[in-house]
């Protein structure tokens, strides 16, 4: 072996020894410790997929590639994390969740927030329910399982009349996706989590729209919004694209979210700039900075988080 090759190989060996955690260098997976666990996993409205592992275990090594892919696919939608149970400081944590074999994959599911109650009466910071993933350790069943555990706060609206009454009843600001699709994408459900308690999220398929009469119920209370809807709905009925609009009925204001692509970052930017609000979670939130640091400060782009991407 040439000496430079030897150098490269021994460098690799060194990395394997030094990087004692599997995912220290992964930009999408958070290596949890007793210090970060509760804040990352329990103090959020997001769902988390966690692998409890030991570095020496062969099945864990096999799962590593799949976890890395899952982290990427679920980015911005479900948190993906891991706990190295071989690490002495983590042993209690693994005991607390009754981890017996490696790897153990679990999903932590947030409690539902009752937004109809005033903030002071809502249950705060209740722990998430944990559930062991018993299915096949393959990418798509694991991803589907995690996605099925996202709390859904997006309400479907099935017609123009219903949309008007929903807007009229709103106590909060609302975000309406006039959607080219029937299905609610996981990313839009994540947008609803980012803005929980600030914007209520709705979706209405373009196909369910019908023209809005001039003397509709919003015309007196919200003349500007009413006019906007009268102009926009006929266009949207013909459209093959989705349109995202934020409404503030208390002030009779609306804003179509102009994005070249509907990423979580662009949506958060548009909403915070136009309505002077900051998101609870996700891009531009305080929490996101904290999470970024835990992901070892590795920069990652927000490129893939489009409303209609299909994780
Ligand atoms: C979930 O969202 C609600 C509404 O914004 C908020 O009051 C609550 O604190 C959030 N829960 C956690 C654990 O962050
Ligand atoms: C919308 O749903 C209601 C029941 O929730 C139903 O009665 C109504 O026909 C539906 N309208 C459309 C346009 O699908």
């Amino acid at each position: 072996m040439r000496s430079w090759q030897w150098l490269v190989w021994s460098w690799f060996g060194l990395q394997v020894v030094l990087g004692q955690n599997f995912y220290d260098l992964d930009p999408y997976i958070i290596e949890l410790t007793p210090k970060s666990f509760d804040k990352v996993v329990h103090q959020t409205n997001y769902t988390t997929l966690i692998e409890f592992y030991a570095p020496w275990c062969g099945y864990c090594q096999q799962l590593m590639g799949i976890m890395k892919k899952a982290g990427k696919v679920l980015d911005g939608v479900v948190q993906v994390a891991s706990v190295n149970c071989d690490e002495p400081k983590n042993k209690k944590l693994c005991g607390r969740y009754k981890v017996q074999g490696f790897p153990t994959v679990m999903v932590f599911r947030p409690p539902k927030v009752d937004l109809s109650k005033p903030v002071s009466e809502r249950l705060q910071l209740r722990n998430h329910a944990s559930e062991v993933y018993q299915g096949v350790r393959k990418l798509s069943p694991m991803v589907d399982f995690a996605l099925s555990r996202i709390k859904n706060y997006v309400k479907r609206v099935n017609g123009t009349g219903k949309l008007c009454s929903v807007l009229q009843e709103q106590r909060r600001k609302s975000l309406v996706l006039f959607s080219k699709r029937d299905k609610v994408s996981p990313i839009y459900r994540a947008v609803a989590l980012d803005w929980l308690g600030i914007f209520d999220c709705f979706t209405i398929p373009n196909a369910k729209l019908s023209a809005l009469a001039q003397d509709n119920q919003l015309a007196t209370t919200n003349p500007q919004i009413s006019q906007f809807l009268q102009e926009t709905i006929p266009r949207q009925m013909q459209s093959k694209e989705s349109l995202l609009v934020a409404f503030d009925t208390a002030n009779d204001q609306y804003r179509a979210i102009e994005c070249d692509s509907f990423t979580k970052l662009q949506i958060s930017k548009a909403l915070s700039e136009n309505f002077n609000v900051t998101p609870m979670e996700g891009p531009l939130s305080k929490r996101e900075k904290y999470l970024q640091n835990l992901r070892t400060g590795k920069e990652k782009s927000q490129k893939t988080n489009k409303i209609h991407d299909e994780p």
Side-chain angles (χ1 to χ4, degrees), residues 41-47 108-114 123-129 149-153 193 196:
V41 178
H42 292 296
Q43 294 171 28
T44 174
N45 283 301
Y46 273 83
T47 295
F108 286 72
R109 200 159 27 102
K112 181 102 184 185
V113 177
D114 186 351
L123 279 175
Q124 294 287 324
L125 305 182
R126 216 162 17 108
N127 273 2
H128 290 203
R149 265 51 181 177
I150 304 176
K151 278 279 170 296
N152 181 31
Y153 293 94
L193 297 180
L196 206 56

Side-chain angles (χ1 to χ4, degrees), residues 96-214:
R96 181 170 141 202
Y97 294 104
K98 305 191 169 58
V99 173
Q100 277 156 352
F102 301 120
T104 295
V105 177
M106 284 193 200
V107 170
F108 286 72
R109 200 159 27 102
K112 181 102 184 185
V113 177
D114 186 351
L115 292 165
S116 66
K117 288 194 179 138
V119 177
S120 58
E121 286 169 33
R122 281 181 213 150
L123 279 175
Q124 294 287 324
L125 305 182
R126 216 162 17 108
N127 273 2
H128 290 203
S130 63
E131 197 177 352
V132 176
Y133 172 72
Q134 309 275 17
V136 215
R137 294 198 201 107
K138 292 233 168 92
L139 183 65
S140 86
M142 272 171 55
V143 163
D144 287 346
F145 184 79
L147 291 177
S148 72
R149 265 51 181 177
I150 304 176
K151 278 279 170 296
N152 181 31
Y153 293 94
V154 177
K155 295 201 188 85
R156 289 158 182 277
V157 174
N158 74 351
T160 298
K162 183 79 182 141
L163 177 66
C164 285
S165 50
V166 153
L167 286 176
Q168 192 145 49
E169 286 158 15
Q170 273 309 293
R171 285 181 295 128
R172 280 177 283 271
K173 297 177 182 64
S174 38
L175 203 53
V176 178
L177 182 68
F178 296 90
S179 180
K180 61 183 176 189
R181 295 199 194 178
D182 208 27
K183 248 179 81 187
V184 181
S185 70
I187 283 287
Y188 190 46
R189 283 196 271 158
V191 168
L193 297 180
D194 290 346
W195 292 96
L196 206 56
I198 302 169
F199 282 92
D200 286 341
C201 292
F202 300 93
T203 183
I204 177 166
N206 289 341
K208 291 268 166 82
L209 288 166
S210 55
L212 182 62
Q214 271 194 359

Side-chain angles (χ1 to χ4, degrees), residues 254-300:
Y254 62 89
R255 185 79 61 185
I257 308 296
E258 311 275 352
C259 298
D260 35 335
S261 59
F262 287 117
T263 64
K264 291 212 312 174
L265 178 62
Q266 290 190 343
I267 292 169
S268 277
K269 264 197 186 138
L271 294 180
S272 46
E273 278 164 14
N274 286 306
F275 294 91
N276 197 22
V277 282
T278 40
M280 304 291 292
E281 305 197 45
L284 306 186
S285 70
K286 249 203 216 146
R287 181 180 162 87
E288 186 69 10
K289 288 205 189 95
Y290 167 76
L291 293 179
Q292 279 296 3
N293 286 338
L294 287 184
R295 293 184 189 109
T296 68
K298 292 152 285 189
E299 285 300 315
K300 71 190 180 81

Side-chain angles (χ1 to χ4, degrees), residues 26-40:
D26 191 284
Y28 301 101
I29 301 181
I30 301 171
E31 281 279 358
L32 295 165
T33 62
K35 204 171 147 219
S36 59
F37 194 95
D38 281 6
K39 182 153 184 196
V40 172

